[in-house]
Amino acid sequence: MSTRIADLDPGGAPLLGEPLPVELANTRYAVRGTPHEGLAEPAHLAAWLRDIAPRLGNPPSEAALLAMDAHDLARALDLRDCVGALLTAAMTDTVPAADIVERLNTYTRAAPQWRELTWPAAVTRTEADPITAVLAELAGATVDLLTGPDRTELRACHGPGCILHFVRNNPRREWCSAGCGNRARVARHYRRSKNPSVDG
């Protein structure tokens, strides 16, 4: 029986509805402070790309996802490292290393795209292979995020043991998810009950 992309294990990488560059950075996450790799093997990357496909302008075919290999995974992890470093630079208002910027730009240049009319809709085309095209799209989305209005709303989650990022879409938002907010409140309550003089 042949493998279908729908049958692939997602690998556990969280999807929180954040901009795609943040989602990519968040494929490295923590559970109760223990680091986890959501893209440990090519099948995890294929499943993650399958799950974000509705949000991509030029999603890879099922055949391309099933053909994913260690080289594709290595490129995706390299792009993720670049994105993570650039998100951190934006959040800390520091200048990223020039080689990080150049590596990201290498991905954006790898798959030139154009739009064509296919009456009555438009489609995005590229001559690059499907995985290169997806990585270029994610790199381009990173450029858009870091040069757009959401840059100032990038945040690192301060939930106990969490290492995820998010875009603060509400002035009161402090955590990546409701679960992290609940854990933070429970931890604060526990600290207060153990030491009533703690005001925090």
Side-chain angles (χ1 to χ4, degrees), residues 28 34-35 104 127 170-171:
R28 181 184 292 131
T34 302
L104 181 87
E127 291 182 353
N170 178 315

Side-chain angles (χ1 to χ4, degrees), residues 102-180:
E102 180 52 32
R103 278 167 48 204
L104 181 87
N105 288 334
T106 298
Y107 286 101
T108 63
R109 290 190 294 263
Q113 298 181 3
W114 63 93
R115 292 173 48 81
E116 290 183 356
L117 183 63
T118 58
W119 195 260
V123 293
T124 301
R125 303 270 193 219
T126 181
E127 291 182 353
D129 70 83
I131 303 309
T132 298
V134 168
L135 296 179
E137 184 174 344
L138 292 170
T142 303
V143 172
D144 293 341
L145 176 63
L146 295 176
T147 59
D150 285 341
R151 174 188 173 133
T152 59
E153 299 302 327
L154 284 166
R155 299 290 186 274
C157 183
H158 293 294
C162 187
I163 60 170
L164 297 183
H165 299 90
F166 64 96
V167 173
R168 186 178 66 168
N169 54 5
N170 178 315
R172 298 184 65 196
R173 185 175 178 192
E174 298 178 47
W175 303 285
C176 69
S177 67
C180 271

Side-chain angles (χ1 to χ4, degrees), residues 3-199:
T3 303
R4 295 178 310 139
I5 195 68
D7 298 330
L8 291 177
D9 172 15
L15 285 173
L16 303 174
E18 297 295 335
L20 288 175
V22 176
E23 298 280 31
L24 178 60
N26 286 346
T27 60
R28 181 184 292 131
Y29 61 101
V31 176
R32 292 188 172 94
T34 302
H36 286 270
E37 176 55 76
L39 302 179
E41 55 190 65
H44 295 158
L45 175 60
W48 185 79
L49 290 173
R50 171 205 62 204
D51 294 343
I52 66 163
R55 298 171 61 187
L56 293 170
N58 199 2
S61 67
E62 182 165 328
L65 293 176
L66 291 173
M68 192 154 311
D69 61 18
H71 175 67
D72 297 321
L73 178 61
R75 292 188 298 156
L77 295 179
D78 180 59
L79 176 59
R80 182 185 67 186
D81 290 345
C82 292
V83 170
L86 292 166
L87 294 179
T88 298
M91 288 184 291
T92 58
D93 199 26
T94 58
V95 177
D99 68 306
I100 297 291
V101 173
E102 180 52 32
R103 278 167 48 204
L104 181 87
N105 288 334
T106 298
Y107 286 101
T108 63
R109 290 190 294 263
Q113 298 181 3
W114 63 93
R115 292 173 48 81
E116 290 183 356
L117 183 63
T118 58
W119 195 260
V123 293
T124 301
R125 303 270 193 219
T126 181
E127 291 182 353
D129 70 83
I131 303 309
T132 298
V134 168
L135 296 179
E137 184 174 344
L138 292 170
T142 303
V143 172
D144 293 341
L145 176 63
L146 295 176
T147 59
D150 285 341
R151 174 188 173 133
T152 59
E153 299 302 327
L154 284 166
R155 299 290 186 274
C157 183
H158 293 294
C162 187
I163 60 170
L164 297 183
H165 299 90
F166 64 96
V167 173
R168 186 178 66 168
N169 54 5
N170 178 315
R172 298 184 65 196
R173 185 175 178 192
E174 298 178 47
W175 303 285
C176 69
S177 67
C180 271
N182 290 339
R183 284 188 291 280
R185 285 187 279 278
V186 167
R188 188 166 46 227
H189 175 76
Y190 178 77
R191 282 193 310 274
R192 286 179 179 163
S193 66
K194 294 296 268 179
N195 184 359
S197 65
V198 172
D199 184 30

